[in-house]
Amino acid sequence: MIKTGAQYRDDMERMKPSIYMMGEKVENYQKDPRFRSSFNLVALNHDICFDEKYRDLAVCHEPLVDEPVRRFTHKLQTTQEDSLKKAQLTRQVCRHHICGWCMSNSLCILWTLTHDIDRKYGTEYHQRFKEFAGFLMKNDYDCFWAMMNPKGDRSLKLDQQKQGSPGVKIVRKDKKGIVVRGAKVSNSYATCSLYTFAVPCTALTEGEKDYAVAFAVPSDEKGVHFIVRPAPNRDSSAPDHDMENPIGSEIGIVEGTVIFDDVFVPWERVFMCGEWDMAQQLPLLFSNIHRQSKCACLAGHSDLVCGVASLVADVNGTSRIGHIREKITQLMIEAEVAYGCSLGAAMEGSLHPGGIFIPSTAITNAGVTYIKKLTGEQIQLLHDVSGGIICTMPVEADYRNPVTKKWMDAYLFGSSKYTTEERLRALYLAQEIASSKFTGYFIGWGVNAAGSPAACDIFVRSHYDLKASVSVAREWAGIKEKKRPSQKANSER
Ligand SMILES: Cc1cc2nc3c(=O)[nH]c(=O)nc-3n(C[C@H](O)[C@H](O)[C@H](O)COP(=O)(O)OP(=O)(O)OC[C@H]3O[C@@H](n4cnc5c(N)ncnc54)[C@H](O)[C@@H]3O)c2cc1C
């Protein structure tokens, strides 16, 4: 059963998570205005399923429960068509509201991981996970993805850190379940979902086997604590600034650090427990399944910047000027290339034995790293097209003051096609994206969310068929393949 945004909000009413924000414990967070925009975004992800504009892509049948589900949240990607449709929906949604919260990717990752662990170790994780996934689908519950470790000193493994344990680890096991302790960082929507998935974020060594743990708990489970930061420009309970911060006011995302303070997890919600050699699967599965979405998501962000730049050029009367058109064309090209990689990754994908369709690792990561590295440049282009006024203009409160509004209306107009208020609205939107607290977040969402560009580069390097390219070069240069001594020895054996 697909729930509306209002039904999602009803589900959240019963939650009583332990939350700290801006130095204080938060009580009754459902009514706290700083959480409103995050709840809105999750609710929107439900409501698109009832919106004609999105419905055909956003709703699909899921054989596991033999019911319609929300594609973004619960569809197991088992065919090329699923992968293509996910990319299409992602671009369409992210160009408008930044994030589609593609948690179905997490289901696909854990589906595949549990399948592979069982195959190697004869465990029962996959059946447990299937049951839990079915439970989420049938109830249309939302989860968030706690993967990122605080990491500590990045040059050391988790068990070599001198100052503690910068990850989540198993501290006890008994017949009923396990007890976990530690922290995860950078958890988007952490407090706005009913369940929390925690998984390892890197390959592990035998010495780190206690960190090889994947599980799900209700977000208000005893011992789970959140330290969250408000969405950008939403750090007070002051009235919304809908002209200055139209996006953040409506759909800004609360981000959290999650503490697991000796949290009990029953066995039926444990999906990995000590199989350290399988942890390397997680970054690999994440790198192709989730980054295919990220590629389309950042195509959508490029569309957003492109649209704002084009609107601002029009209100400023510069839309026909050559270099402005070139800059806007550049943004179009970047959006289409990233989207093309997301689609292309589906075209060259393959079916994993566990049943999940896996997009091409090389194409996905090439597309993502290409567009990630352009995130800052796109913001620069928006400044360039908009002009300095997006850093220097009077604030919305002055436009709402009749004395100063009169002067602003008289002098801050642009093209005669628009009223001054319309021009200011377009400029405030450009300001929110390119010159506000939201800017830093928007760039970080591009550069780091779903992994750093360097992490993507590694996957391109390891999956690109360099041998084939070099062999063409050798052929044209007339240089024969040289066998290394060890290769020779092998072939002679
Ligand atoms: C807006 C936003 C939302 C996010 N949402 C989520 C979420 O919902 N769930 C979640 O789990 N995560 C989330 N993340 C986290 C995201 O996946 C990480 O930020 C990203 O993977 C980078 O890791 P890091 O932040 O720990 O950076 P670091 O690992 O500190 O990286 C910083 C730099 O150091 C380099 N580096 C670090 N260690 C090494 C090493 N050993 N070798 C070589 N280079 C290294 C990196 O490549 C990078 O260039 C989110 C991030 C952002 C910005």
Side-chain angles (χ1 to χ4, degrees):
M1 166 207 185
I2 296 181
K3 288 179 177 162
T4 61
Q7 288 169 310
Y8 151 73
R9 287 175 204 273
D10 288 345
D11 279 344
M12 292 306 297
E13 279 298 314
R14 69 164 191 267
M15 297 297 284
K16 294 201 183 324
S18 163
I19 304 177
Y20 294 82
M21 182 190 253
M22 300 179 75
E24 289 173 354
K25 180 132 192 177
V26 179
E27 306 295 345
N28 199 4
Y29 81 123
Q30 288 93 340
K31 299 277 177 298
D32 189 317
R34 296 168 301 182
F35 289 82
R36 193 184 67 89
S37 56
S38 253
F39 281 123
N40 283 352
L41 187 48
V42 185
L44 206 57
N45 197 10
H46 285 259
D47 286 335
I48 59 170
C49 297
F50 302 89
D51 179 340
E52 256 179 47
K53 191 171 151 203
Y54 298 103
R55 196 172 46 211
D56 283 351
L57 283 173
V59 178
C60 53
H61 180 258
E62 171 48 59
L64 182 66
V65 285
D66 195 17
E67 276 184 24
V69 294
R70 288 182 288 145
R71 181 182 300 283
F72 267 153
T73 314
H74 294 131
K75 179 75 184 99
L76 291 166
Q77 176 175 291
T78 54
T79 62
Q80 187 182 67
E81 190 189 352
D82 287 341
S83 184
L84 288 169
K85 286 191 167 168
K86 179 187 77 173
Q88 289 168 334
L89 179 65
T90 305
R91 182 181 187 183
Q92 205 183 339
V93 164
C94 293
R95 72 153 63 115
H96 186 264
H97 51 263
I98 313 290
C99 175
W101 200 15
C102 38
M103 280 303 296
S104 62
N105 291 338
S106 320
L107 300 189
C108 295
I109 291 169
L110 281 168
W111 181 278
T112 309
L113 177 77
T114 51
H115 167 272
D116 288 357
I117 302 179
D118 284 4
R119 218 162 56 159
K120 181 156 185 194
Y121 288 104
T123 41
E124 299 167 357
Y125 297 122
H126 194 56
Q127 187 53 34
R128 278 181 203 165
F129 182 71
K130 253 185 185 173
E131 278 163 27
F132 185 59
F135 162 78
L136 294 175
M137 291 168 187
K138 279 190 171 292
N139 291 287
D140 199 13
Y141 286 155
D142 295 282
C143 298
F144 80 91
W145 186 238
M147 183 167 179
M148 205 37 54
N149 285 341
K151 294 180 186 164
D153 182 335
R154 272 73 176 147
S155 66
L156 300 174
K157 303 299 290 179
L158 288 165
D159 59 333
Q160 296 167 340
Q161 302 283 332
K162 309 238 174 336
Q163 295 169 64
S165 306
V168 172
K169 66 176 182 180
I170 308 154
V171 289
R172 274 198 306 281
K173 281 186 215 173
D174 65 25
K175 272 192 200 153
K176 291 188 177 155
I178 61 172
V179 173
V180 292
R181 184 183 300 160
K184 292 281 180 184
V185 295
S186 301
N187 299 285
S188 305
Y189 314 96
T191 51
C192 296
S193 47
L194 284 155
Y195 284 89
T196 303
F197 275 125
V199 296
C201 70
T202 51
L204 298 171
T205 59
E206 192 168 4
E208 298 170 299
K209 71 172 186 305
D210 290 340
Y211 296 90
V213 60
F215 59 89
V217 285
S219 300
D220 58 357
E221 186 62 60
K222 187 166 171 259
V224 176
H225 304 282
F226 297 94
I227 313 168
V228 300
R229 54 182 291 130
N233 304 319
R234 296 288 304 133
D235 45 7
S236 79
S237 42
D240 294 346
H241 298 286
D242 68 333
M243 275 176 85
E244 271 181 331
N245 303 310
I247 300 175
S249 297
E250 200 49 34
I251 50 162
I253 304 168
V254 169
E255 295 285 345
T257 296
V258 190
I259 310 298
F260 295 91
D261 188 15
D262 285 9
V263 175
F264 172 73
V265 189
W267 282 115
E268 60 268 26
R269 299 279 161 85
V270 177
F271 310 122
M272 170 186 225
C273 185
E275 295 82 5
W276 61 271
D277 56 328
M278 301 302 284
Q280 59 179 344
Q281 289 274 79
L282 276 152
L284 177 61
L285 292 166
F286 185 83
S287 87
N288 36 43
I289 296 175
H290 188 57
R291 289 195 190 131
Q292 186 212 3
S293 293
K294 193 72 199 169
C295 221
C297 161
L298 294 182
H301 288 198
S302 309
D303 290 331
L304 177 65
V305 176
C306 180
V308 175
S310 190
L311 178 64
V312 168
D314 208 35
V315 301
N316 280 350
T318 56
S319 56
R320 301 176 89 81
I321 294 173
H323 79 92
I324 299 281
R325 286 163 66 108
E326 276 166 27
K327 282 161 189 157
I328 290 167
T329 309
Q330 182 58 29
L331 290 166
M332 295 174 190
I333 293 168
E334 291 167 7
E336 297 295 4
V337 171
Y339 183 52
C341 287
S342 189
L343 298 178
M347 295 311 293
E348 298 239 327
S350 56
L351 198 63
H352 183 276
I356 298 297
F357 182 82
I358 311 276
S360 150
T361 309
I363 301 175
T364 299
N365 283 276
V368 166
T369 195
Y370 161 82
I371 195 71
K372 275 176 174 284
K373 289 170 188 168
L374 292 168
T375 316
E377 201 176 301
Q378 294 188 344
I379 298 298
Q380 186 198 325
L381 281 185
L382 189 52
H383 273 280
D384 191 349
V385 170
S386 306
I389 195 152
I390 62 166
C391 301
T392 59
M393 65 201 286
V395 300
E396 181 178 346
D398 292 312
Y399 196 65
R400 300 208 181 274
N401 174 350
V403 178
T404 40
K405 177 177 189 304
K406 190 177 63 203
W407 295 322
M408 288 169 75
D409 275 335
Y411 297 114
L412 299 185
F413 61 85
S415 156
S416 59
K417 286 195 283 181
Y418 297 91
T419 63
T420 303
E421 176 169 337
E422 285 171 336
R423 175 175 187 244
L424 293 179
R425 282 186 177 275
L427 291 175
Y428 280 134
L429 174 60
Q431 174 195 269
E432 183 179 38
I433 293 176
S435 182
S436 77
K437 273 190 187 174
F438 183 81
T439 312
Y441 182 77
F442 190 67
I443 293 178
W445 193 251
V447 176
N448 272 316
S452 70
C456 306
D457 292 355
I458 290 170
F459 282 103
V460 176
R461 225 169 15 248
S462 56
H463 286 76
Y464 176 85
D465 192 353
L466 184 59
K467 223 171 151 197
S469 301
V470 171
S471 119
V472 172
R474 281 183 180 278
E475 201 181 314
W476 279 113
I479 302 172
K480 288 210 169 71
E481 199 77 41
K482 288 197 174 63
K483 284 185 183 146
R484 286 198 215 117
S486 60
Q487 279 177 324
K488 198 173 169 208
N490 279 342
S491 61
E492 280 168 358
R493 239 178 281 160

